[in-house]
Amino acid sequence: MVKTLNQLGSGETGVVIKVYGSGSVKRRIVDMGIVAETLIQVQKLAPLGDPMEIKVKNFNLSLRKSEAALIEVRTQ
């Protein structure tokens, strides 16, 4: 099933299909290693859901929900 990263819950995993957006936001996301065919796992969500902590290539990163909405993932 195809979703955006912000739709995943804590503990769910997905594989990146595409990163949308433009300019510095997209560049920052790609520079963090979030590129096509990368496995992402949602580690934690803040009490109000923003930001979210994800695990990418053995690194823990925090993303805002608005940034996570730009990342399309495929889940099992």
Side-chain angles (χ1 to χ4, degrees):
M1 181 173 3
V2 176
K3 298 180 178 180
T4 55
L5 184 58
N6 65 326
Q7 295 172 329
L8 297 183
S10 183
E12 290 188 277
T13 60
V15 176
V16 176
I17 297 172
K18 183 171 174 125
V19 178
Y20 294 97
S22 62
S24 62
V25 174
K26 181 177 181 178
R27 182 182 175 123
R28 187 171 87 83
I29 291 171
V30 172
D31 286 348
M32 288 190 286
I34 303 171
V35 294
E37 301 304 317
T38 302
L39 182 67
I40 291 182
Q41 180 180 21
V42 178
Q43 299 288 77
K44 300 179 203 171
L45 297 173
L48 297 176
D50 195 24
M52 61 191 313
E53 183 180 339
I54 61 171
K55 186 169 193 162
V56 179
K57 299 180 181 178
N58 293 323
F59 292 100
N60 289 351
L61 303 171
S62 291
L63 288 178
R64 295 180 186 105
K65 285 273 192 172
S66 60
E67 295 168 341
L70 300 174
I71 303 167
E72 188 175 63
V73 296
R74 180 177 60 246
T75 60
Q76 281 78 7

